[in-house]
């Protein structure tokens, strides 16, 4: 505990924002968002996504921050301290388990990004070597050995940052990587929108087609907003506890949401115009970035360079998110097991290597094992995104809205009156946290069962 108390804090407000944006921007923005837009009616999906993100999910993000900064320590500690009830510690443990589950498939995809980065740098990539990209991707992910090695490399890189601690590891790398990510995605976007025939992609993104938008799309938009903002898994509870007292939490929540959403839109602008310019069906699904894009890169001018830039972007986005997931697990194990950072992170890495390998093998050798019609990889994704994160988000808003109450909430977001937050805004945020968010979460959860 002593080590944690002494070292674990961000050195500045900017450090906190960079780390949180690092967590938010990830595979969710570059890999999931574009294909969900493709499958759910383009701009129709984007509009609904924006509304949900702004109105519902930003206040939930704020609720998590309040719990973390008010309580301090690991998520379990924080929940117990703010509620004064030991039972609430379970919400912190649930967050850790959710992170474990997300990480189990996240490290597999992280490993794929390293493999593709290596492939894009190797000679021959841009000369048509991956024209049969579907078969190459399928062959790689279904093999037993090499995807696990790449996942292991991804885990080791993550743990390297975690072991450096909050300031020297998480904060420093985030401050470097976040600006770089924006520059890279803008560069790729410029190449993409200047391809002949690119306008069709922009139309598709920004012209709503509500006929494609169904009730399932609404659920997908809420789920994506949760996933992209890293909600419901105690990420912000953990980072909140490292946040300086002088930070304006409501403003930070807005900055984080806007940056994450802006990046998702930039990713859409980098990917969709190129997809349309080459006449490919945009609703390709999960294979979009690993199958469709490599094919496009091999055919377009400057494609070799774009491929490298793209996979560097994907890798940086993935690792900064993976660091935040890993930190929730490490902080909780440090607290529960009273261990040092290195011991805790090694325990996490060992478990992850095991669960990650199972997820990886479920794409090949263990494909025949299915739970509820899904392989293990998909089931981990489904259960964590659709059940555990939703439950975690619900617990966070119930905790702030119904247990710790408005006075403490306002005290925390204004730092006891030192930070000016207008009364109507504070009340509106609290109203969403207390009533609207729980209602939306519970209604969507119930309706997704039927
Ligand atoms: N937000 C990340 C992404 O978009 C994923 C992620 C990172 C995450 N940390 C999380 C999701 C914590 C839930 C909880 O890729």
């Amino acid at each position: 505990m002593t080590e944690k108390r002494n070292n674990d804090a961000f050195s500045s407000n900017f450090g906190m924002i960079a780390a949180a944006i690092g967590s938010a921007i990830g595979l969710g923005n570059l890999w999931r968002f574009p294909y969900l837009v493709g499958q759910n009616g383009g701009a129709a999906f984007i509009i609904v996504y924006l509304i949900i993100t702004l109105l519902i999910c930003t206040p939930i993000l704020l609720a998590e921050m309040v719990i973390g900064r008010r309580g301090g320590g690991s998520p379990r500690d924080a929940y117990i301290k703010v509620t004064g009830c030991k039972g609430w510690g379970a919400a912190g443990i649930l967050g850790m388990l959710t992170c474990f589950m997300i990480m189990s498939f996240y490290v597999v995809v992280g490993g794929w990004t390293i493999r593709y980065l290596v492939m894009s740098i190797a000679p021959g990539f841009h000369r048509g070597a991956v024209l049969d990209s579907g078969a190459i991707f399928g062959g790689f992910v279904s093999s037993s050995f090499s995807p696990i090695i790449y996942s292991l490399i991804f885990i080791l890189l993550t743990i390297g940052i975690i072991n450096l601690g909050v300031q020297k590891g998480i904060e420093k790398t985030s401050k470097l990587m976040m600006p770089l990510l924006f520059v890279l995605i803008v560069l790729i976007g410029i190449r993409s929108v200047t391809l002949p025939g690119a306008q069709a992609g922009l139309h598709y993104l920004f012209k709503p087609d509500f006929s494609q938008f169904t009730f399932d799309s609404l659920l997908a938009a809420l789920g994506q907003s949760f996933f992209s903002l890293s909600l419901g898994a105690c990420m912000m509870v953990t980072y909140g506890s490292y946040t300086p007292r002088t930070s304006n939490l409501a403003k930070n929540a807005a900055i984080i949401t806007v940056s994450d959403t802006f990046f998702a839109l930039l990713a859409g602008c980098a990917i969709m115009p190129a997809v349309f310019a080459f006449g490919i069906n945009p609703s390709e699904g999960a294979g979009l970035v690993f199958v469709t894009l490599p094919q496009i890169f091999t055919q377009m001018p400057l494609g070799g360079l774009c491929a490298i830039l793209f996979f560097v972007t994907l890798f940086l986005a993935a690792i900064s998110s993976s660091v935040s997931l890993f930190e929730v697990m490490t902080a909780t194990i440090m607290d529960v097991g009273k261990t040092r950072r290195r011991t805790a992170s090694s325990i996490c890495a060992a478990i992850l290597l095991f669960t990650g390998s199972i997820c990886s093998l479920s794409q090949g050798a263990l494909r025949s094992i299915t739970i509820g019609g899904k392989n293990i990889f998909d089931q981990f994704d489904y259960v964590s995104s659709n059940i555990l994160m939703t439950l975690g988000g619900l617990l966070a808003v119930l905790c702030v809205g119904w247990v710790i109450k408005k006075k403490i909430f306002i005290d925390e977001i204004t730092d006891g009156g030192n930070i000016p937050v207008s009364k109507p805004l504070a009340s509106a945020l609290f109203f969403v946290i207390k009533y609207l968010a729980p209602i939306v979460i519970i209604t969507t959860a119930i309706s997704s069962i039927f």
Side-chain angles (χ1 to χ4, degrees):
M1 210 56 194
T2 46
E3 188 195 27
K4 188 169 163 47
R5 283 271 170 261
N6 294 340
N7 296 338
D8 292 351
F10 293 123
S11 70
S12 65
N13 190 49
F14 176 64
M16 180 270 189
I17 292 178
I21 295 178
S23 169
I25 294 179
L27 297 169
N29 305 59
L30 286 155
W31 171 62
R32 241 163 161 249
F33 184 77
Y35 81 73
L36 284 176
V37 172
Q39 287 171 342
N40 294 289
F45 181 82
I46 295 184
I47 292 169
V48 175
Y49 177 82
L50 290 178
I51 296 172
I52 290 179
T53 303
L54 203 72
L55 280 187
I56 314 279
C57 292
T58 311
I60 304 179
L61 190 69
L62 181 62
E64 287 201 13
M65 278 182 197
V66 166
I67 297 168
R69 198 176 65 178
R70 187 91 190 169
S74 77
R76 184 186 74 139
D77 251 4
Y79 266 106
I80 294 177
K81 276 198 205 122
V82 294
T83 57
C85 159
K86 271 211 141 99
W88 270 97
I93 302 291
L94 177 79
M96 181 198 71
L97 293 176
T98 309
C99 288
F100 253 120
M101 216 159 182
I102 300 172
M103 267 301 257
S104 301
F105 67 87
Y106 215 84
V107 296
V108 177
V109 185
W112 299 348
T113 66
I114 298 183
R115 168 75 191 119
Y116 271 73
L117 178 57
V118 172
M119 224 156 86
S120 66
I121 295 171
F125 182 83
H126 55 285
R127 273 182 255 116
V130 289
L131 265 185
D132 196 3
S133 59
I136 293 179
F137 179 67
F140 168 62
V141 302
S142 62
S143 59
S144 296
F145 196 59
S146 97
I148 294 181
I149 297 296
Y150 281 104
S151 299
L152 177 62
I153 298 173
F154 189 79
I155 294 173
L156 292 177
L157 291 171
T158 306
I159 203 179
I161 297 174
I162 291 290
N163 283 350
L164 287 173
V166 174
Q167 275 182 25
K168 292 201 192 101
I170 303 175
E171 182 175 342
K172 225 179 188 164
T173 48
S174 305
K175 280 181 180 166
L176 280 175
M177 290 196 288
M178 286 314 107
L180 186 61
L181 269 179
F182 276 91
V183 172
L184 286 170
I185 200 74
V186 167
L187 286 179
I188 302 165
I190 292 173
R191 169 64 286 203
S192 179
V193 297
T194 49
L195 287 167
Q199 292 87 335
L202 291 175
H203 268 191
Y204 181 77
L205 273 178
F206 296 112
K207 236 184 168 182
D209 175 6
F210 278 97
S211 69
Q212 292 270 322
F213 194 88
T214 59
F215 185 70
D216 281 345
S217 313
L218 186 68
L219 297 182
L222 184 69
Q224 172 61 14
S225 188
F226 255 70
F227 190 84
S228 195
L229 288 175
S230 310
L231 291 180
C234 288
M235 181 284 284
M236 214 55 231
V237 179
T238 310
Y239 281 7
S241 77
Y242 305 152
T243 301
R245 284 230 59 86
T246 48
S247 291
N248 182 339
L249 296 186
K251 194 167 153 195
N252 283 7
I255 295 174
I256 295 161
T257 313
V258 169
S259 311
D260 180 60
T261 309
F262 184 57
F263 191 91
L265 292 175
L266 285 175
C269 292
I271 292 172
M272 283 304 160
V275 168
F276 274 82
F278 287 90
I280 293 169
N281 178 6
S283 53
E284 166 75 37
L288 187 67
V289 301
F290 294 106
V291 178
T292 312
L293 289 186
Q295 227 167 23
I296 292 172
F297 289 139
T298 57
Q299 297 168 52
M300 76 187 198
L302 288 181
L305 180 65
C306 276
I308 297 175
L309 295 184
F310 181 78
F311 288 112
V312 169
T313 311
L314 198 60
F315 168 72
L316 293 180
I319 191 119
S320 57
S321 299
S322 150
V323 161
S324 76
L325 287 156
F326 209 104
E327 179 63 19
V328 176
M329 303 175 342
T330 308
T332 309
I333 291 186
M334 277 165 77
D335 166 31
V336 175
K338 304 274 173 275
T339 59
R340 291 182 323 127
R341 176 168 281 273
R342 273 171 191 272
T343 318
S345 64
S346 307
I347 296 171
C348 296
I351 302 177
L352 268 182
L353 182 60
F354 177 71
T355 51
S357 300
I358 292 181
C359 279
S360 179
L361 289 171
S362 77
Q363 302 280 334
L366 300 182
R367 194 178 331 204
S368 55
I369 303 178
T370 56
I371 309 166
K374 289 186 167 67
N375 69 26
I376 300 171
F377 181 106
D378 293 340
Q379 194 58 257
F380 271 45
D381 183 2
Y382 180 81
V383 172
S384 52
S385 311
N386 296 335
I387 301 173
L388 298 180
M389 288 173 62
T390 320
L391 186 60
L394 182 62
L395 290 173
V397 287
L398 290 181
C399 174
V400 174
W402 297 86
V403 183
I404 73 173
K405 307 272 169 59
K406 190 167 176 179
K407 196 172 152 310
I408 304 248
F409 172 77
I410 299 208
D411 183 63
E412 196 58 36
I413 63 171
T414 60
D415 188 23
N418 291 326
I419 296 169
V421 178
S422 82
K423 267 209 169 118
L425 176 66
S427 295
L429 287 168
F430 191 74
F431 175 82
V432 174
I433 291 172
K434 184 163 184 173
Y435 300 106
L436 197 57
I439 292 173
V440 170
I441 295 174
I442 292 172
T443 328
T444 41
I446 292 175
S447 48
S448 64
I449 298 171
F450 299 107

